[in-house]
């Protein structure tokens, strides 16, 4: 009897429209893991008949000759966009922006899957019902001129504005430069629509009447700078932006932040404020605004695929260690439970933590927050490893961005 292998396909887009009985009968079993599965009625019947295991976020059932396009980045459709000469199905793995006047372009697509937010005019939101949208839909008034999601106005903006124009920013508008001329914009009957306005105190009286009444208005002190990213409070940050800061992201205060903190007179963090434990009391005495304060170690290990924590690393960290947002964290065998208790300040938002022994595991679990799994190193049995090896030998695995049968 013929010894057939298994087939496993892992991809973003899997096109099964041309799959045949000859292909499926050549394997003992077939498994498809795809973000988007493309099928036809005929293909669906074959997949069901052969018991194909399918794991997918979305399915596009299409008949006929349709070409696929994968966009791994922001996409904009405007009135000047070309109408595809052939039937086209587009998968967008990023934000999609739809501008006014492109109804014909949208209708020309055979289909579309968007894995991200969509921004479009209010009157065109109905056209999206034919598409698969895996994200929020943000609309703006018809006839409005679309700005960036976060639009930063400068002293030249009033020169570019049009008479009676409505400007729309899906996220927020930043108006902190002291020389923005809202009076000139009012003379042109310019209006703004946005969810949030950050405005300097001296500009607020002239600016607020130009904004939609639904906008959330935050008045900041004159001279305040907008920092659009995660940041560390240090001399370089203060030298660049000054001592009045609005940080739209995560801000870290480390043992080296003391001199920079002396120069800060205003601080608002639209996100988490990470404070090393030696600076905690000083920060709490200040009038600072933030979403959440987290006490962390002086050494922060974050956003790594694999992080190894050794005894030397812990011992050298005078103000302790915090581990955050890592896929895999492994504690070395030389790390004692006592050293962990003394030096590990926090452990959070990690997928897997591998401990050398039960004592390590007990301490790490007590300090952990939002950790998916704790395992002991080498806990898999030889029998399990042999089974995995056998499965690997008997499985044909295909990994690709897109795959067509």
């Amino acid at each position: 009897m013929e010894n057939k292998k298994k087939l496993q396909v892992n991809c973003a887009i899997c096109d099964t429209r041309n799959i045949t009985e000859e292909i499926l009968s050549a394997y003992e079993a077939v498994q498809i893991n795809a973000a988007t599965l493309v099928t036809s009625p005929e293909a669906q019947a074959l997949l069901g008949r052969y018991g194909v295991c399918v794991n997918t976020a979305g399915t596009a059932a299409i008949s006929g000759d349709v070409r696929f396009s994968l966009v791994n980045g922001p996409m904009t459709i405007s009135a000047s966009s070309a109408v595809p000469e052939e039937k086209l199905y587009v998968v967008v793995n990023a934000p999609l922006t739809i501008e006014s006047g492109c109804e014909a372009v949208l209708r020309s697509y055979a289909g579309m899957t968007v894995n991200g937010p969509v921004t479009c005019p209010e009157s065109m939101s109905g056209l999206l019902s034919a598409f698969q949208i895996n994200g929020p839909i943000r609309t703006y008034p018809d006839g409005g001129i679309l700005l960036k999601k976060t639009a930063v106005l400068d002293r030249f903006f009033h020169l570019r504005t049009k008479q009676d124009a409505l400007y729309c920013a899906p996220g927020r508008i930043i108006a902190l430069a002291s020389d923005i001329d809202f009076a000139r914009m009012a003379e042109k009957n310019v209006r703004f629509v946005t969810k949030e306005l950050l405005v300097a105190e001296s500009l607020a009286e002239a600016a607020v009447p130009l904004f939609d009444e639904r906008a959330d208005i935050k008045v900041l002190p004159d001279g305040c700078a907008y920092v659009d990213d995660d940041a560390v409070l240090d001399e370089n940050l203060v030298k660049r932006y000054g001592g009045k800061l609005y940080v739209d992201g995560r801000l870290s205060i480390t043992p080296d932040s003391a001199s920079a903190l002396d120069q800060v007179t205003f601080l608002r963090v639209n996100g988490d404020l990470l404070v090393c434990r030696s600076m905690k009391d000083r920060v709490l005495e200040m009038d600072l605004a933030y979403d959440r304060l987290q006490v962390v170690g002086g050494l922060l290990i974050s956003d790594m695929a694999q992080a190894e924590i050794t005894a030397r690393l812990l011992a050298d960290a005078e103000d302790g260690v915090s581990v955050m947002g890592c896929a895999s964290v492994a504690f070395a065998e030389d790390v004692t439970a006592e050293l962990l208790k003394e030096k590990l300040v926090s452990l959070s938002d990690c997928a897997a933590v591998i401990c050398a022994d039960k004592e390590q595991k007990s301490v790490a679990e007590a300090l952990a927050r939002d950790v998916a799994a704790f395992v002991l190193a080498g806990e898999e049995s030889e029998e399990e490893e042999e089974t995995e090896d056998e499965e690997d030998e008997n499985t044909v695995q295909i990994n690709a961005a897109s795959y067509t049968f």
Side-chain angles (χ1 to χ4, degrees):
M1 182 177 177
E2 182 183 0
N3 185 20
K4 295 181 181 180
K5 292 189 175 183
K6 299 177 182 179
L7 174 65
Q8 184 180 78
V9 178
N10 306 307
C11 58
I13 302 175
C14 186
D15 189 346
T16 64
R17 288 176 297 167
N18 295 321
I19 202 166
T20 63
E21 288 197 47
E22 183 180 5
I23 293 173
L24 292 174
S25 62
Y27 297 96
E28 177 188 343
V30 176
Q31 179 175 334
I32 300 173
N33 304 313
T36 301
L37 181 76
V38 184
T39 69
S40 64
E42 297 78 12
Q44 285 179 318
L46 276 176
L47 295 176
R49 189 184 311 161
Y50 281 85
V52 175
C53 177
V54 177
N55 300 307
T56 182
T59 301
I62 299 173
S63 299
D65 186 19
V66 177
R67 184 172 68 85
F68 277 79
S69 176
L70 177 63
V71 181
N72 289 317
M75 179 179 177
T76 298
I77 302 175
S78 65
S80 60
S81 299
V83 175
E85 296 181 358
E86 56 188 330
K87 289 185 178 180
L88 183 66
Y89 192 106
V90 179
V91 175
V92 184
N93 293 319
L96 172 66
T97 300
I98 301 172
E99 298 181 354
S100 299
C102 63
E103 289 86 349
V105 180
L106 270 183
R107 291 191 180 99
S108 70
Y109 287 111
M112 182 178 292
T113 296
V114 183
N115 298 312
V118 177
T119 302
C120 71
E122 291 174 350
S123 65
M124 295 178 67
S125 61
L127 294 177
L128 300 179
S129 61
F131 302 147
Q132 180 175 321
I133 311 297
N134 300 317
I137 297 176
R138 308 182 181 110
T139 62
Y140 61 93
D142 289 79
I145 299 173
L146 190 62
L147 303 174
K148 292 181 179 180
K149 180 183 177 181
T150 296
V152 181
L153 307 188
D154 57 28
R155 65 190 180 94
F156 300 110
F157 187 80
H158 76 274
L159 299 175
R160 304 192 298 273
T161 56
K162 300 177 181 179
Q163 183 70 34
D164 301 322
L166 177 65
Y167 291 91
C168 309
R172 60 172 62 89
I173 290 178
I174 312 299
L176 298 177
S178 60
D179 45 7
I180 299 174
D181 198 339
F182 282 106
R184 292 286 297 276
M185 287 187 264
E187 293 173 1
K188 291 184 178 182
N189 194 33
V190 169
R191 294 294 181 269
F192 295 92
V193 170
T194 191
K195 287 185 177 180
E196 183 180 51
L197 167 66
L198 304 183
V199 61
E201 186 173 6
S202 61
L203 300 177
E205 187 174 349
V208 170
L210 307 187
F211 283 78
D212 181 85
E213 64 274 8
R214 292 169 294 183
D216 181 15
I217 298 172
K218 290 183 172 64
V219 178
L220 303 179
D222 290 347
C224 185
Y226 176 74
V227 182
D228 186 21
D229 204 353
D230 294 343
V232 176
L233 183 62
D234 55 19
E235 289 289 344
N236 290 331
L237 188 73
V238 174
K239 183 179 295 185
R240 180 178 179 184
Y241 293 104
K244 299 177 182 178
L245 301 168
Y246 183 99
V247 180
D248 192 14
R250 188 173 70 189
L251 181 68
S252 300
I253 296 180
T254 72
D256 298 326
S257 299
S259 61
L261 198 58
D262 287 337
Q263 303 172 60
V264 171
T265 59
F266 176 86
L267 177 63
R268 179 174 293 178
V269 182
N270 187 34
D272 289 346
L273 180 63
L274 307 184
V275 181
C276 66
R277 57 184 178 183
S278 62
M279 299 286 288
K280 175 186 173 183
D281 292 341
R282 181 176 173 187
V283 167
L284 291 177
E285 291 172 356
M286 301 177 67
D287 184 20
L288 308 181
Y290 42 82
D291 287 348
R292 181 176 61 170
L293 185 144
Q294 295 187 59
V295 178
V296 296
L299 175 60
L300 176 62
I301 300 172
S302 64
D303 304 320
M304 294 180 63
Q306 295 180 322
E308 183 180 11
I309 311 301
T310 64
R312 178 65 180 273
L313 183 145
L314 290 169
D316 289 347
E318 295 182 4
D319 204 24
V321 174
S322 284
V323 184
M324 178 183 298
C326 295
S328 174
V329 181
F331 291 104
E333 292 182 0
D334 61 356
V335 175
T336 65
E338 290 72 21
L339 186 59
L340 268 186
K341 291 177 183 177
E342 178 187 354
K343 293 291 187 175
L344 186 63
V345 178
S346 61
L347 175 64
S348 62
D349 302 313
C350 297
V353 175
I354 304 167
C355 301
D357 53 50
K358 292 181 179 179
E359 288 74 20
Q360 279 187 5
K361 185 170 178 284
S362 177
V363 176
E365 285 178 332
L367 293 169
R369 179 177 60 81
D370 296 331
V371 172
F374 285 89
V375 296
L376 291 175
E379 68 178 0
E380 286 187 341
S381 68
E382 293 181 4
E383 182 180 345
E384 289 174 334
E385 292 177 357
E386 290 175 1
T387 301
E388 290 179 359
D389 290 340
E390 290 176 3
E391 289 180 352
D392 289 342
E393 290 178 1
N394 294 323
T395 301
V396 177
Q397 192 171 85
I398 298 173
N399 301 309
S402 61
Y403 184 75
T404 302
F405 280 94

